[in-house]
Amino acid sequence: MQYECRLTVLDNDTVALTDLNRQFYYKQNDIGQPKVKILEEYLWQYHNVRINIIHKDVFEVCDYEYDLMFCCFDNVESRMQLNYISYINNIPMIDLGIEGLQMHVKRVDFATNRACLYCMKELYGTKAAFNYCTLKNTNTRNREAYIYSLSLKYESVEDVVEHFNAVNAVKTDEFEVRGIKENILPNACYIASLCASMALKMVDECKYDFIYYNGYEKVHFNFINMVVDPACILCNAKMRKPVIE
């Protein structure tokens, strides 16, 4: 099925060095520039596609006149804000998330009797999700991102090892550096394309509203219908706004 649509991309972030390990439309010359601006230029130059861009935080935008929203935020607060926006504007939303070789896709539609993101907030935890690009928190993904960013700066593997070990208590070696340089990009592209494919699948097919994939041990999918939390402040029948046909 073909669609004719207008696409608006909202993001208040700017390009950082550690984005370059998997976001291939950004180059080193783009560092410090708004991501949406570079993406707009890239899509027009290479694919002849026009998009609307908003370089703001989701909390700063008041007008939402869309038929469908895709939530690609990497933090819980923004996800819950867009979940609320979906509620008050009666706009279906598809939430996407990636962590390493795991991904999920969740459809939120308050015109149905299925769970919203707030119903399953415990699954999201209280911390921001981590991506390969994030260096603001300390975990395995940050280590990989830091090593990869050093590999962009230094051509020699030995130089990467030397500079990383100079400032980190847990040391690296040539084997780890070579593995990260060779594997992060294909793995990230694979899981991101899989996540996007499942999200598009949910645009037309609503048999299940939650898809989870775990690729660490084997190819493993879960297709689930999430149950509404009776205590949800949005999905509770007494508080839900009527849907106007």
Side-chain angles (χ1 to χ4, degrees):
M1 182 179 296
Q2 293 184 341
Y3 295 93
E4 181 177 347
C5 63
R6 291 178 296 172
L7 179 65
T8 298
V9 179
L10 182 152
D11 194 340
N12 72 332
D13 203 2
T14 55
V15 180
L17 175 63
T18 47
D19 291 321
L20 307 184
N21 62 345
R22 80 195 197 289
Q23 299 177 16
F24 54 85
Y25 33 81
Y26 299 137
K27 304 295 187 292
Q28 285 186 291
N29 291 338
D30 300 326
I31 293 175
Q33 296 295 314
K35 286 185 175 181
V36 288
K37 178 178 179 295
I38 302 302
L39 179 61
E40 178 189 32
E41 295 172 352
Y42 177 90
L43 291 176
W44 175 244
Q45 180 178 356
Y46 294 102
H47 300 285
N48 199 32
V49 172
R50 286 290 192 190
I51 63 172
N52 301 318
I53 61 172
I54 302 176
H55 185 226
K56 293 182 179 180
D57 191 277
V58 64
F59 296 95
E60 300 174 326
V61 179
C62 299
D63 297 326
Y64 286 87
E65 297 181 357
Y66 307 109
D67 298 312
L68 177 67
M69 298 187 297
F70 290 90
C71 178
C72 306
F73 293 116
D74 62 357
N75 65 85
V76 177
E77 292 79 7
S78 296
R79 276 191 163 102
M80 294 304 165
Q81 174 69 6
L82 206 60
N83 184 70
Y84 180 68
I85 291 169
S86 172
Y87 166 72
I88 62 176
N89 292 282
N90 287 322
I91 303 174
M93 178 182 77
I94 297 178
D95 178 63
L96 302 83
I98 295 174
E99 166 62 18
L101 295 181
Q102 301 175 87
M103 73 89 186
H104 81 268
V105 178
K106 172 71 175 82
R107 183 182 176 97
V108 175
D109 188 347
F110 287 96
T112 68
N113 291 318
R114 294 180 179 175
C116 72
L117 298 190
Y118 195 79
C119 292
M120 44 189 288
K121 57 186 180 299
E122 290 79 9
L123 295 181
Y124 287 91
T126 57
K127 295 183 179 180
F130 296 105
N131 290 314
Y132 290 112
C133 62
T134 305
L135 294 179
K136 297 178 182 178
N137 304 283
T138 54
N139 71 352
T140 303
R141 302 299 164 215
N142 298 344
R143 176 184 177 88
E144 292 174 349
Y146 186 32
I147 291 175
Y148 191 90
S149 66
L150 288 175
S151 72
L152 295 176
K153 185 175 182 179
Y154 303 103
E155 294 184 4
S156 166
V157 173
E158 291 79 7
D159 287 342
V160 174
V161 173
E162 178 183 350
H163 284 84
F164 182 89
N165 290 344
V167 294
N168 287 275
V170 181
K171 307 303 181 183
T172 188
D173 54 29
E174 292 187 18
F175 179 80
E176 182 182 23
V177 172
R178 293 185 186 279
I180 289 174
K181 288 181 64 176
E182 296 172 3
N183 294 329
I184 278 188
L185 186 57
N187 285 343
C189 289
Y190 161 72
I191 196 68
S193 62
L194 181 62
C195 188
S197 297
M198 293 297 101
L200 291 177
K201 179 181 179 67
M202 276 198 175
V203 173
D204 286 325
E205 301 179 20
C206 301
K207 184 177 180 180
Y208 301 100
D209 66 355
F210 187 79
I211 301 174
Y212 171 75
Y213 169 81
N214 186 344
Y216 279 110
E217 298 180 359
K218 59 182 179 180
V219 177
H220 182 72
F221 280 95
N222 279 314
F223 296 84
I224 307 168
N225 280 323
M226 303 301 290
V227 178
V228 171
D229 181 357
C232 176
I233 59 176
L234 300 182
C235 290
N236 186 292
K238 294 181 180 179
M239 298 186 65
R240 182 178 296 176
K241 297 171 63 176
V243 178
I244 301 175
E245 298 292 343

